[in-house]
């Protein structure tokens, strides 16, 4: 049986709702329950289940590692929001705003440990390879966050630096979710690696789409406001290309906006967007997204299973690429 | 062959010096190299080695988990120092003072992940039980730190609450070090558990000794200043007993000192110490230390190996109890 994304989302949400964080000390565990309950797309657990389901009809054994991956992902959001001093996550207060910085540090630590608690519950014959992927990936996510923070204070970030950063910060965890799922499904090493490469390319396309939607997304979308990255000077693909490709006058305008501390948000968004428009960055970014998406499809085509087993994953990732928010 | 603590300290220090943290992004890994290089007693790795050495002459296989435990311990110090806003650790600047808070958060996270990287390198036949001890212990250390922070804002901490807190924050990691070492040495479950209980009692005695030394220690000691816990209102065993046992007048004096924000450190230390002296807290604390130390010896006596194999561990822990700084 092939499960749909909706089936899998329901399955992981049920598993999350059954986690027991109502225990002492409450001040440690309540923020964990909070951040896990405020939603999200559950993209990574769904990919983990799908990775298993490509090769096997028995996906129940993937629930613990899927939980581990989702808890790890939310740990990284919790600590990233603290480091970025972000106030809102998924339309709700971030943990360090709702509680305080110390709570964000320590509850985040407890989540990382709890992620290991669940990843360790995989069958013992696959424990070593799965731990290896998980730990390597977790470290890479930290490296990606460090590069992202380092880039904040630099005006000379190159496209290749940026792609490296989003590969580490975002793509590897999507890829690892698929690979861990595949290992649990009994995939060959070759197929598991092909699926990992598929995940890397989908992850890069996914993050570039995020960058694009921040500027050119549907304004009716919720959770995030349009132009948030522009307001906060986030070094997105668009800003990096704009700093690289614009003429001296536009470059000076961009740098001026970056250092200006008091401004009207809409004025800044419109001014920066005008420069992006002049450089045709919407089209350029979309082309790069298509490049990675096609590379992903190419990797998936090489996974040695009947093509009808790949349909749900293909449709799911296509929808991710075509989302408007 | 039975190794001495000095042998084992040299062995773990060599292994730490060979860790490669000279890699990109430097801003992530430099603070890790820094905190691991500024020393410490290496108590936990030495206990892990000793746990193995009780049962086996081959202690090399304990190096990776000993590294994991020491990296985990230093991760917890790094994040605790951030949460406590401490400036000095082992006579050197803390990571969040030398760099900044974000560095302390993220380099700490990377250390926790790296600890898992090394704990995972144990032989596969003992991987599951060792991961279980390690993860349970890591979570307990977080719980202990949370209780410690919760106690800061409470004047009604009971002795039993305090013992529970130091068991979680300090004792379980010493106990787990011994137990993980014992598992690697091929100990029976019963012996590994007895050694764990030995470690819990030693850990409680060790922390109470720390509390005692802060007030009644040798003033020539270095790394920590005498009276630091009094100055910072730390809820040590002595302060908790003083708040519990003193008459109304002394209790009012203590509470007054706790809320006073500007004061001469020596005046405060002397005033609080006078109350401790009047309650005979040095003797009371020392008696409790002896109680836990004797309980520890009792546990060790039940470990089913020739008693001469226990000598180094006995001497080492006795020295810990009798240290004057």
């Amino acid at each position: 049986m092939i499960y749909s994304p909706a089936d899998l989302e329901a399955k992981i949400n049920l598993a999350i709702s059954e986690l027991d964080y109502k225990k002492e000390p409450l001040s440690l565990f309540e923020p964990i329950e909070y951040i896990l309950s405020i939603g999200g797309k559950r993209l990574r657990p769904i990919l983990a289940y799908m990775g298993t389901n490509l090769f096997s009809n028995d996906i129940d054994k993937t629930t613990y590692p899927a939980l581990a991956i989702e808890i790890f992902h939310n740990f990284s959001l919790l600590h990233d929001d603290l480091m970025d001093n972000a106030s809102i996550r998924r339309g709700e207060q971030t943990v360090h705003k709702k509680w305080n910085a110390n709570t964000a540090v320590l509850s985040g630590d407890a989540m990382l440990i709890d992620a290991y608690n669940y990843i360790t519950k995989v069958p013992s014959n696959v424990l070593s390879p799965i731990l290896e992927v998980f730990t390597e990936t977790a470290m890479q996510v930290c490296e990606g966050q460090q590069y992202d923070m380092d880039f904040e204070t630099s005006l000379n970030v190159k496209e290749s630096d940026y792609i490296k950063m989003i590969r580490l910060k975002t793509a590897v965890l999507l890829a690892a979710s698929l690979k861990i799922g595949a290992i649990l499904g009994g995939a060959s090493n070759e197929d598991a690696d092909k699926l990992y490469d598929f995940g890397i390319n989908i992850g890069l396309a996914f993050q570039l789409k995020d960058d694009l939607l921040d500027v050119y997304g549907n304004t009716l979308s919720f959770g995030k406001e349009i132009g948030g990255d522009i307001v906060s000077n986030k070094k997105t693909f668009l800003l990096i290309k704009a700093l690289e490709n614009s003429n001296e006058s536009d470059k000076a305008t961009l740098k001026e906006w970056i250092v200006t501390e008091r401004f009207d948000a809409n004025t800044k968004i419109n001014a920066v967007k005008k420069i992006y428009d002049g450089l045709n960055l919407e089209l350029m970014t979309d082309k790069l997204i298509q490049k990675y998406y096609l590379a992903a499809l190419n990797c998936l085509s090489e996974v040695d299973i009947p093509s009808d087993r790949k349909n749900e994953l293909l449709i799911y990732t296509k929808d991710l690429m075509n989302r408007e928010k």
Side-chain angles (χ1 to χ4, degrees), chain A residues 5-30:
Chain A
D7 292 339
L8 300 173
E9 190 177 351
K11 196 171 172 70
I12 192 66
N13 278 330
L14 177 66
I16 288 170
S17 72
E18 288 173 351
L19 294 174
D20 182 19
Y21 290 119
K22 296 209 183 306
K23 54 187 178 184
E24 296 283 346
L26 292 177
S27 40
L28 183 65
F29 293 111
E30 268 179 355

Side-chain angles (χ1 to χ4, degrees), chain A residues 203-316:
Chain A
L204 295 174
F206 178 79
Q207 182 57 52
L208 289 166
K209 183 81 187 185
D210 240 32
D211 288 7
L212 195 58
L213 287 173
D214 182 72
V215 188
Y216 295 101
N218 182 341
T219 49
L220 293 175
S221 70
F222 83 5
K224 259 183 168 178
E225 285 164 40
I226 289 292
D229 291 346
I230 292 176
V231 168
S232 66
N233 299 320
K234 198 155 166 41
K235 293 281 173 3
T236 64
F237 180 74
L238 291 93
L239 179 53
I240 285 162
K241 293 310 284 186
L243 285 166
E244 201 176 299
N245 292 357
S246 58
N247 59 35
E248 289 310 309
S249 152
D250 283 350
K251 201 172 292 181
T253 305
L254 281 172
K255 290 186 178 176
E256 182 68 29
W257 276 115
I258 289 172
V259 296
T260 302
E261 297 197 354
R262 295 189 61 135
F263 53 81
D264 172 67
N266 278 327
T267 311
K268 179 173 177 179
I269 292 168
N270 289 332
V272 172
K273 193 163 178 285
K274 197 176 153 199
I275 294 173
Y276 290 178
D277 288 343
L279 292 165
N280 228 341
L281 287 185
E282 185 176 12
L283 185 67
M284 182 191 284
T285 310
D286 206 52
K287 273 190 178 167
L288 192 58
I289 293 170
Q290 290 309 315
K291 188 190 106 175
Y292 286 120
Y293 181 56
L294 288 175
L297 293 184
N298 196 39
C299 294
L300 188 59
S301 74
E302 291 180 27
V303 175
D304 193 18
I305 54 170
S307 70
D308 62 342
R309 275 206 98 94
K310 300 174 184 171
N311 279 345
E312 289 291 353
L313 180 58
L314 272 171
I315 296 165
Y316 182 58

Side-chain angles (χ1 to χ4, degrees), chain A residues 72-319:
Chain A
F72 173 81
H73 173 59
N74 280 273
F75 140 78
S76 76
L77 296 180
L78 203 170
H79 275 191
D80 286 5
D81 283 343
L82 171 66
M83 291 183 267
D84 300 344
N85 199 21
S87 305
I88 302 290
R89 163 73 59 188
R90 297 167 183 154
E92 304 281 339
Q93 271 191 299
T94 50
V95 166
H96 69 104
K97 291 289 179 190
K98 192 173 164 76
W99 285 271
N100 55 56
N102 283 358
T103 296
V105 172
L106 196 61
S107 294
D109 293 346
M111 290 181 85
L112 177 51
I113 294 163
D114 212 30
Y116 271 100
N117 173 38
Y118 287 105
I119 201 77
T120 308
K121 293 182 194 290
V122 297
S124 60
N125 63 317
V126 289
L127 179 57
S128 279
I130 285 177
L131 275 172
E132 196 179 314
V133 177
F134 189 77
T135 294
E136 187 183 5
T137 302
M139 188 60 95
Q140 288 174 324
V141 171
C142 287
E143 291 169 14
Q145 168 67 3
Q146 184 67 55
Y147 282 120
D148 199 13
M149 292 198 301
D150 290 349
F151 290 174
E152 274 172 31
T153 50
S154 166
L155 285 172
N156 284 311
V157 183
K158 294 194 213 85
E159 180 179 335
S160 60
D161 297 328
Y162 180 76
I163 297 297
K164 179 180 172 186
M165 184 275 283
I166 64 171
R167 189 176 64 76
L168 293 166
K169 186 167 171 171
T170 302
V172 294
L173 189 57
L174 303 190
S177 300
L178 284 159
K179 184 171 179 175
I180 289 170
I183 293 171
L184 285 158
S188 68
N189 288 342
E190 291 70 28
D191 280 348
D193 287 342
K194 283 288 168 210
L195 212 51
Y196 183 88
D197 294 340
F198 166 80
I200 292 289
N201 284 295
I202 287 291
L204 295 174
F206 178 79
Q207 182 57 52
L208 289 166
K209 183 81 187 185
D210 240 32
D211 288 7
L212 195 58
L213 287 173
D214 182 72
V215 188
Y216 295 101
N218 182 341
T219 49
L220 293 175
S221 70
F222 83 5
K224 259 183 168 178
E225 285 164 40
I226 289 292
D229 291 346
I230 292 176
V231 168
S232 66
N233 299 320
K234 198 155 166 41
K235 293 281 173 3
T236 64
F237 180 74
L238 291 93
L239 179 53
I240 285 162
K241 293 310 284 186
L243 285 166
E244 201 176 299
N245 292 357
S246 58
N247 59 35
E248 289 310 309
S249 152
D250 283 350
K251 201 172 292 181
T253 305
L254 281 172
K255 290 186 178 176
E256 182 68 29
W257 276 115
I258 289 172
V259 296
T260 302
E261 297 197 354
R262 295 189 61 135
F263 53 81
D264 172 67
N266 278 327
T267 311
K268 179 173 177 179
I269 292 168
N270 289 332
V272 172
K273 193 163 178 285
K274 197 176 153 199
I275 294 173
Y276 290 178
D277 288 343
L279 292 165
N280 228 341
L281 287 185
E282 185 176 12
L283 185 67
M284 182 191 284
T285 310
D286 206 52
K287 273 190 178 167
L288 192 58
I289 293 170
Q290 290 309 315
K291 188 190 106 175
Y292 286 120
Y293 181 56
L294 288 175
L297 293 184
N298 196 39
C299 294
L300 188 59
S301 74
E302 291 180 27
V303 175
D304 193 18
I305 54 170
S307 70
D308 62 342
R309 275 206 98 94
K310 300 174 184 171
N311 279 345
E312 289 291 353
L313 180 58
L314 272 171
I315 296 165
Y316 182 58
T317 45
K318 192 177 174 191
D319 286 349

